[in-house]
Amino acid sequence: SNKRAAMSYLQPKRNDAEVRINTGATEKRIELVLNELLAMNLEEEIETFDKNDNLLKDTSQVFTDIVKRTEQIELSRDKDITIYQELLTQPSVFVEELWIKEKLGNSSKKRFRMRNRCDRRLIQGVQMYLGDINLPDTRFNEQPFLVKYARMNKTEGELLFKELNPERWKAVRPGAYQSIGGVSNNLYRTNSIEKNEIEAFWYMSYSDNELQIIVNGIPFLEVGAKYTDSYGELNGYHITMVSLKPYSGDFAYGKPLTQSAKTLQALSNETIRNLIRKFRQALEPPMGTPAGKMYNRDIWNPGHIVQGVKKDDFQRLIDHQGVTQSEMAMYDLIEKKINEFIGTSQQEPLQGKTQVTATELRLAQQNAVKLLGLSVLACMRLKERLALLRCKNLLVNYTKPIGKELDPVTNTIKDIYARFSIADADVDGQSGERVIQLMDRNLDSAEKSMLYQVEQESKKKGRNVEYKIVNVKKLQDLELYFYVNVVSKPRESNDLDKALMTEMLNQGAMITQMTGRPMKSNKIIDKMERIYKEHGLFEKEAPQSLGQFNEEISQTPGMQNMAPQKPKRPSVNSLEGNLPQI
């Protein structure tokens, strides 16, 4: 019923005269809330601490960048649409963090290669069974066990289970279970699967460190199989659960927006159904005729000719003229109450205005966040838990080599580790690129000098590049504790950012005039190029003569020193360099 409410399901008629109508108010309001949440662009900032509660800044930056990059690789923004939709319309949302293998193809050379990567997937609420329904989602990792259900085609099941246990896969028979000796051994939903389908159950217990997979009644793992052998030491389940509006502190599921608005949605449908009925009565009012005379309703069609009939032979059986203004006001009141239950968009208070200031935009955004309080909080909680699962997934899998290659210097085979390139990173206060390379050793002095030369050559070519080298062996030896801060970073280049940019420059010029401290030109140029999406709009260095623009700037006290500052000497940042002091 929640899914039907979220998709404006049109109920079938109960009688011939009934009006089939669904106003879709709930669907539209949830769509507005969803758009608002997606526009907030929630991003995660990882904070990493050691066992003595020392903040590791370089390590935090590395994990923040890698989490961001892995989310780009898996196209997480596309997945956020369905995940947020499930969160807003169902009692809870379940998302699992996986380590998958995918095939990559090169269309030009027609070559394929396999790549392992992180991936998160939505699990429908009807596919999950909790071991203890009285534990809230904040204590999800304390669940005694979880059961995940999946129904799939045999071809898809072969990709998942044949390699796991080839002998037992041969015994799997698609279709519903057959009764044995007159006793049915049907499990959940088995009667509805098609003849070419199979169903699978994953039994997971983190507290007992147990895992079992049952496919059409056949167990694929040996008794006593370890959960950590398949999903790693994640300090909890590889699945997380978040509810939108908790019922209480001792219940797992919550109350979605569809359920909150369901009663008012039904009242809205009934109201407009009656308004349409009254509107029809005004157009074609029920009529009474003398006893013993029957007429076809086609006599009311335009141009129809009927013999022996006078207008006095008919009498209206109603005395109203259709829908009144007070009835429409009642309908508007119901719509307003639905909006109060679900929330509103930041753009609605600004509708009808031709010009909107930055202050009005900001206040409208803040008011929208207040009205969407629980929805925003639930999304932030979800992003926080998904980021924590991703950090643990990185520690388990990306600290392992991804391949091998021949070292031409030593003529030996060495391991290759993952490499990540972060675009639009903050490098020494400027926009640039950060390259993170995982290795199993420290850099020697010659390698550090070489990287420094590469950084300098990149700067001469107009690229601001920073290299970070991470020793995965020392990273594994650290006892790390992760915390996540989720912040809203609106995507730049919209009207609000342009208005705020203008306001920031005006206020900055006033502060410069008062204090004599100029603004940094590099910061201003980088921000403006990002907002207007015009890279290379300004020269790298200020020319000798700037003409009239230079004269206007020079007239503003404190603005004479806005020439680009000389960049600091870049350093080859390595995680292992910070370890001895910890």
Side-chain angles (χ1 to χ4, degrees):
S1 63
N2 287 328
K3 187 176 289 291
R4 287 180 172 181
M7 302 303 293
S8 299
Y9 174 73
L10 193 60
Q11 295 282 354
K13 285 186 178 183
R14 298 180 181 177
N15 51 72
D16 294 338
E18 184 179 348
V19 178
R20 295 187 69 199
I21 186 66
N22 192 326
T23 62
T26 300
E27 179 183 357
K28 187 60 179 177
R29 303 312 303 185
I30 291 178
E31 182 180 335
L32 290 174
V33 174
L34 179 61
N35 293 337
E36 204 69 36
L37 295 175
L38 294 174
M40 285 182 179
N41 192 26
L42 299 176
E43 293 187 2
E44 311 91 338
E45 294 180 352
I46 314 298
E47 291 184 351
T48 309
F49 295 83
D50 64 2
K51 61 181 179 181
N52 297 321
D53 204 37
N54 295 315
L55 176 62
L56 309 178
K57 291 186 178 180
D58 279 349
T59 311
S60 301
Q61 183 65 57
V62 165
F63 275 94
T64 299
D65 289 339
I66 296 180
V67 168
K68 177 181 177 181
R69 179 62 185 138
T70 53
E71 288 179 345
Q72 289 177 341
I73 293 174
E74 68 165 327
L75 304 176
S76 64
R77 287 185 179 177
D78 295 341
K79 299 178 181 179
D80 286 345
I81 299 175
T82 55
I83 292 175
Y84 288 176
Q85 178 80 9
E86 183 84 2
L87 175 64
L88 298 177
T89 60
Q90 297 297 339
S92 289
V93 60
F94 296 89
V95 184
E96 61 178 342
E97 175 75 19
L98 299 173
W99 179 254
I100 66 170
K101 180 183 292 185
E102 68 174 356
K103 179 187 289 187
L104 297 178
N106 188 328
S107 58
S108 60
K109 298 182 179 180
K110 297 182 179 180
R111 295 178 181 177
F112 297 93
R113 67 181 181 91
M114 303 303 296
R115 177 181 69 173
N116 292 326
R117 65 171 178 86
C118 300
D119 190 67
R120 61 177 60 134
R121 296 180 181 178
L122 171 68
I123 306 176
Q124 299 289 334
V126 293
Q127 295 179 249
M128 287 299 303
Y129 300 89
L130 304 179
D132 188 352
I133 202 174
N134 294 320
L135 289 176
D137 61 359
T138 54
R139 299 170 58 189
F140 183 74
N141 285 328
E142 299 178 26
Q143 288 286 342
F145 64 87
L146 302 173
V147 176
K148 184 181 76 169
Y149 169 85
R151 167 184 171 181
M152 67 194 73
N153 189 280
K154 183 183 178 182
T155 304
E156 181 182 357
E158 184 175 1
L159 296 176
L160 291 175
F161 306 117
K162 184 176 181 179
E163 185 178 353
L164 184 64
N165 196 322
E167 292 299 324
R168 297 190 182 183
W169 174 254
K170 296 178 181 179
V172 174
R173 297 290 180 268
Y177 294 105
Q178 304 295 325
S179 60
I180 300 176
V183 179
S184 174
N185 62 344
N186 285 338
L187 299 178
Y188 179 67
R189 285 191 171 184
T190 53
N191 289 328
S192 63
I193 65 176
E194 302 296 333
K195 61 180 181 180
N196 63 334
E197 289 183 329
I198 63 173
E199 62 177 3
F201 294 86
W202 285 260
Y203 171 84
M204 299 164 281
S205 176
Y206 176 75
S207 58
D208 297 330
N209 197 13
E210 291 184 4
L211 177 67
Q212 184 57 268
I213 302 176
I214 301 175
V215 183
N216 271 30
I218 300 175
F220 267 61
L221 300 179
E222 299 297 332
V223 176
K226 303 297 183 184
Y227 175 81
T228 53
D229 290 343
S230 298
Y231 299 103
E233 295 286 351
L234 299 178
N235 297 324
Y237 290 103
H238 73 288
I239 301 173
T240 189
M241 169 191 182
V242 172
S243 301
L244 180 65
K245 182 180 179 180
Y247 279 110
S248 64
D250 58 352
F251 192 68
Y253 294 97
K255 188 176 184 180
L257 297 181
T258 49
Q259 192 170 349
S260 299
K262 200 177 296 184
T263 302
L264 285 175
Q265 175 68 69
L267 180 59
S268 174
N269 291 342
E270 182 65 22
T271 301
I272 198 169
R273 187 179 292 113
N274 291 331
L275 293 178
I276 294 176
R277 181 181 177 88
K278 191 175 183 182
F279 175 69
R280 286 180 174 178
Q281 287 180 347
L283 290 177
E284 296 181 343
M287 309 294 291
T289 61
K293 293 185 178 181
M294 296 294 295
Y295 298 94
N296 193 304
R297 61 182 303 173
D298 292 340
I299 65 175
W300 306 111
N301 293 338
H304 196 85
I305 299 176
V306 185
Q307 296 181 353
V309 178
K310 301 178 180 178
K311 63 178 182 178
D312 295 335
D313 294 340
F314 303 93
Q315 183 177 1
R316 292 169 59 99
L317 300 181
I318 59 172
D319 57 358
H320 65 78
Q321 299 299 321
V323 180
T324 63
Q325 189 171 357
S326 61
E327 292 167 344
M328 290 301 303
M330 183 63 187
Y331 176 72
D332 292 338
L333 176 62
I334 296 173
E335 292 291 302
K336 181 180 178 182
K337 292 300 180 182
I338 294 178
N339 297 345
E340 291 177 0
F341 262 88
I342 297 179
T344 184
S345 170
Q346 62 169 314
Q347 301 297 333
E348 291 188 16
L350 306 178
Q351 291 179 356
K353 293 188 176 182
T354 56
Q355 293 183 349
V356 181
T357 63
T359 303
E360 289 176 331
L361 279 170
R362 189 185 304 169
L363 289 176
Q365 190 178 50
Q366 292 175 353
N367 291 333
V369 171
K370 292 178 182 179
L371 292 173
L372 303 176
L374 282 177
S375 301
V376 175
L377 179 60
C379 287
M380 295 178 70
R381 291 168 55 212
L382 178 62
K383 297 288 284 187
E384 174 186 344
R385 297 181 190 181
L386 292 178
L388 288 175
L389 288 179
R390 178 58 52 88
C391 289
K392 297 172 183 177
N393 197 356
L394 297 177
L395 271 180
V396 171
N397 295 294
Y398 272 117
T399 53
K400 301 175 183 177
I402 61 174
K404 295 182 179 294
E405 69 176 3
L406 177 64
D407 190 339
V409 177
T410 61
N411 200 27
T412 57
I413 302 297
K414 66 178 183 179
D415 293 328
I416 305 175
Y417 289 84
R419 172 191 178 104
F420 302 94
S421 297
I422 314 300
D424 295 329
D426 186 3
V427 180
D428 293 331
Q430 300 181 20
S431 178
E433 178 184 355
R434 182 178 294 112
V435 179
I436 301 174
Q437 177 65 61
L438 306 183
M439 300 180 64
D440 58 352
R441 59 182 178 83
N442 294 341
L443 291 179
D444 55 32
S445 58
E447 291 172 326
K448 292 182 180 180
S449 299
M450 182 187 66
L451 283 182
Y452 173 71
Q453 294 296 329
V454 173
E455 289 180 347
Q456 294 302 307
E457 291 296 329
S458 299
K459 282 185 177 296
K460 292 179 182 179
K461 297 178 181 178
R463 292 181 59 205
N464 192 17
V465 182
E466 178 187 39
Y467 289 91
K468 281 185 176 290
I469 310 300
V470 181
N471 189 330
V472 295
K473 291 184 177 180
K474 292 189 176 182
L475 185 65
Q476 289 175 320
D477 294 338
L478 287 176
E479 186 177 340
L480 299 179
Y481 297 89
F482 297 102
Y483 299 89
V484 180
N485 295 322
V486 179
V487 295
S488 176
K489 294 182 178 180
R491 296 182 180 90
E492 293 175 328
S493 77
N494 57 26
D495 294 336
L496 176 60
D497 290 316
K498 294 177 181 178
L500 292 178
M501 176 73 181
T502 303
E503 183 178 334
M504 183 190 73
L505 291 176
N506 294 334
Q507 294 182 359
M510 293 175 58
I511 295 175
T512 298
Q513 186 175 1
M514 295 171 57
T515 63
R517 299 177 59 182
M519 294 184 289
K520 290 185 177 181
S521 58
N522 291 336
K523 286 269 190 183
I524 297 174
I525 291 174
D526 288 341
K527 185 174 183 64
M528 186 170 183
E529 288 182 346
R530 287 199 307 269
I531 291 177
Y532 286 88
K533 294 184 178 180
E534 288 288 345
H535 295 287
L537 188 63
F538 296 89
E539 296 288 346
K540 296 300 178 182
E541 294 183 0
Q544 296 296 326
S545 176
L546 296 180
Q548 182 180 0
F549 178 78
N550 190 30
E551 295 177 1
E552 294 176 355
I553 291 296
S554 63
Q555 295 175 2
T556 304
M559 298 290 285
Q560 295 85 356
N561 297 326
M562 288 186 62
Q565 303 293 325
K566 184 178 180 181
K568 297 180 181 179
R569 171 187 173 93
S571 60
V572 180
N573 297 286
S574 58
L575 182 62
E576 67 271 11
N578 295 327
L579 295 180
Q581 65 182 356
I582 298 175

